Amino acid sequence: MPTDRASATGPSYLAQPHEVHRCVLLYSGGLDTSVLLKWIQDEYDAEVIALCIDLGQPEDDFEAIRQKALDLGAVRSLVVDAREEFARDYVAPSIRANARYQGGYPPFTALGRPLLARLACDVALEHDADTIGHGCTGKGNDQVRIDATVATVAPGLRVIAPIREWQMGRDEEIAYAEEHGIPVSSTRARPYSIDDNLWGRSSEGGTIEDLDAPPPEDVFQLVTPPTRAPDEPTEMTIGFREGLPVSLDGRDLGLVELIARVAEVAAANGVGIVDHIEDRVVGLKVRDIYEVPAAEVILTAHRELEKLVCTGRENHAKPELDRLWAQLVYEGLWYEPLLADLNAFMTAVNARVEGQIGVRLYKGSATVVRRSSPNAIYDRSLATFDADASFSQSSSPGFIELFSLPSRMAYRIADERRRA
Ligand code: ARG
């Protein structure tokens, strides 16, 4: 472990400038990472391998991004389609864990970053690079997730995150870009900081920072504002097996495609807008506007089915562990053994989570209206209000007598002391 480096030169995993010879840059094609691509070549006198990873972010033209990196001097430019791995190994466990950080944000950036970082390490080792470069600032969560992943899975590699150190504001960045022939036209107009993948889209910054105002309309690029959504509801039926969605309206689909289809219909119905105040790992409190149409529907349906097949005790205990799961992932602790322990629990509980959930989508809401499961712990003849039920009602008073015993004793004793 290179930890003894830490005391002498700062954190063990950070590269000193002279240590950078060939850098794998996590490249999105946007302004920040394009400026970085040039900056690393010039300031570190290093080769750059640009790596752009497809996690299902809509709208990206990956061939254009790949070419742009080469135009900016990358010695290699790679595009990796990681959608299947992302859905299977990252989104799927988050569904089993009903993951929503602080009750609102279904982690998607937080799920994507450890995968991006690990893939960058794979590429670096394969191409004899010594350093991973990324475009995170020093104020966010993403730096934590990426740095922690690299330092964990590839302790022989180093990290650089020049945006954390350079003092350029946005205008200076644009000036630098113009000076170095980096196209900025399409990025300049964007007033928000965006991140997206197949599980959702986030917007931060700009007028979103005014907490006292409703989300600006121009934020929404994915979800139709509910007021403009259709006047008729739409219903969809999601089939689950082992806690994962496997079919839509009776048709079997792979997870990537299923998520895309659910997202499209939900977004058209105004479903999946989350206006969220959250606490970042580094201590800041911020507001995010999320567009998470697929997550909204799938998590709602999953939780409903889980409730149906689990016992009451499981239903009381699991949300506590779900919350912990979301927090660990949000905090970038993807390799924390506790997360693996929790995953074993989530998988065990979800072995029984099989069935069909019907969801009605209407002007921003996703409401469960039908549910069925071969594993439902539900017996209509026991639950019914009809007279001939087999549930033994005469047993209830004896149960209540014992069930209420400690509370009754405590009440009586307090009462006696008050009177004494
Ligand atoms: N607040 C979310 C998170 O921490 C979204 C962050 C989006 N990242 C970004 N660089 N715009 O996961």
Side-chain angles (χ1 to χ4, degrees):
M1 295 288 277
T3 42
D4 42 352
R5 256 174 121 252
S7 49
T9 58
S12 60
Y13 66 84
L14 286 186
Q16 301 298 310
H18 67 271
E19 294 176 314
V20 185
H21 302 293
R22 186 178 296 160
C23 172
V24 174
L25 172 65
L26 283 163
Y27 183 64
S28 71
L31 177 63
D32 284 343
T33 54
S34 296
V35 167
L36 266 182
L37 213 172
K38 269 273 178 233
W39 178 275
I40 293 168
Q41 296 170 75
D42 293 349
E43 301 291 316
Y44 292 80
D45 193 20
E47 292 179 354
V48 178
I49 298 173
L51 173 62
C52 180
I53 298 169
D54 179 1
L55 297 182
Q57 51 276 40
E59 282 179 43
D60 274 354
D61 176 348
F62 290 103
E63 184 42 39
I65 293 172
R66 202 186 69 81
Q67 188 55 49
K68 184 174 175 183
L70 293 173
D71 296 345
L72 295 175
V75 292
R76 258 174 210 275
S77 184
L78 307 170
V79 173
V80 172
D81 179 354
R83 288 174 297 170
E84 291 294 335
E85 182 176 5
F86 182 54
R88 183 188 66 234
D89 296 341
Y90 293 77
V91 177
S94 87
I95 295 171
R96 292 199 181 103
N98 300 304
R100 284 194 182 260
Y101 178 65
Q102 295 190 319
Y105 162 47
F108 52 89
T109 300
L111 289 170
R113 292 305 193 252
L115 176 55
L116 299 186
R118 202 216 74 224
L119 290 170
C121 292
D122 292 350
V123 168
L125 297 174
E126 190 183 330
H127 294 274
D128 260 333
D130 40 50
T131 307
I132 305 297
H134 64 76
C136 299
T137 72
K139 287 179 128 182
N141 298 316
D142 292 331
Q143 55 170 345
V144 181
R145 299 160 182 160
I146 292 175
D147 287 12
T149 299
V150 175
T152 303
V153 304
L157 296 174
R158 299 283 172 260
V159 172
I160 52 171
I163 294 179
R164 269 197 300 227
E165 289 137 41
W166 73 31
Q167 298 300 321
M168 282 197 275
R170 200 166 167 84
D171 290 343
E172 287 152 295
E173 241 187 273
I174 289 171
Y176 180 96
E178 279 166 353
E179 217 172 284
H180 290 81
I182 300 166
V184 286
S185 51
S186 63
T187 44
R188 188 187 285 208
R190 282 198 175 168
Y192 310 110
S193 162
I194 308 294
D195 187 57
D196 57 0
N197 61 45
L198 56 79
W199 198 229
R201 178 178 200 278
S202 71
S203 305
E204 301 173 327
T207 52
I208 293 169
E209 289 167 358
D210 180 1
L211 305 188
D212 200 18
E217 281 258 318
D218 64 346
V219 166
F220 300 108
Q221 301 296 318
L222 212 58
V223 177
T224 304
T227 47
R228 281 191 252 129
D231 292 326
E232 293 303 316
T234 306
E235 272 189 30
M236 57 167 66
T237 300
I238 303 179
F240 286 85
R241 208 174 308 128
E242 296 182 0
L244 296 181
V246 291
S247 70
L248 185 60
D249 296 327
R251 223 186 112 205
D252 285 359
L253 291 174
L255 191 52
V256 171
E257 197 183 345
L258 186 143
I259 288 170
R261 299 236 175 157
V262 172
E264 197 182 321
V265 180
N269 283 281
V271 169
I273 294 174
V274 179
D275 181 343
H276 199 235
I277 298 292
E278 75 192 33
D279 293 292
R280 283 188 185 160
V281 186
V282 293
L284 291 171
K285 198 181 289 294
V286 293
R287 181 196 198 185
D288 276 78
I289 305 294
Y290 295 115
E291 296 170 84
V292 286
E296 186 68 46
V297 175
I298 291 170
L299 293 175
T300 299
H302 175 264
R303 186 146 19 89
E304 180 76 5
L305 187 56
E306 213 178 58
K307 248 168 94 181
L308 192 60
V309 304
C310 286
T311 64
R313 289 187 186 89
E314 287 176 310
N315 283 331
H316 291 136
K318 189 165 180 291
E320 314 249 331
L321 299 176
D322 290 349
R323 192 199 55 71
L324 189 54
W325 195 99
Q327 187 178 347
L328 290 174
V329 168
Y330 184 87
E331 292 177 343
L333 300 176
W334 187 255
Y335 293 93
E336 161 60 48
L338 178 57
L339 189 65
D341 302 339
L342 290 175
N343 277 326
F345 170 80
M346 303 298 169
T347 303
V349 173
N350 274 276
R352 282 168 288 144
V353 180
E354 178 181 339
Q356 305 278 329
I357 297 290
V359 183
R360 183 175 292 160
L361 310 170
Y362 180 64
K363 288 193 183 291
S365 67
T367 314
V368 173
V369 289
R370 284 174 290 112
R371 64 283 277 158
S372 69
S373 169
N375 301 325
I377 309 184
Y378 175 75
D379 182 340
R380 191 169 181 173
S381 71
L382 284 177
T384 185
F385 278 96
D386 298 346
D388 62 342
S390 44
F391 185 87
S392 165
Q393 298 196 44
S394 59
S395 302
S396 285
F399 162 75
I400 295 165
E401 170 118 49
L402 300 186
F403 186 65
S404 63
L405 179 63
S407 314
R408 287 188 287 116
M409 281 175 61
Y411 184 91
R412 196 192 71 217
I413 288 161
D415 202 40
E416 281 168 6
R417 293 207 60 177
R418 239 191 330 269
R419 288 168 199 279

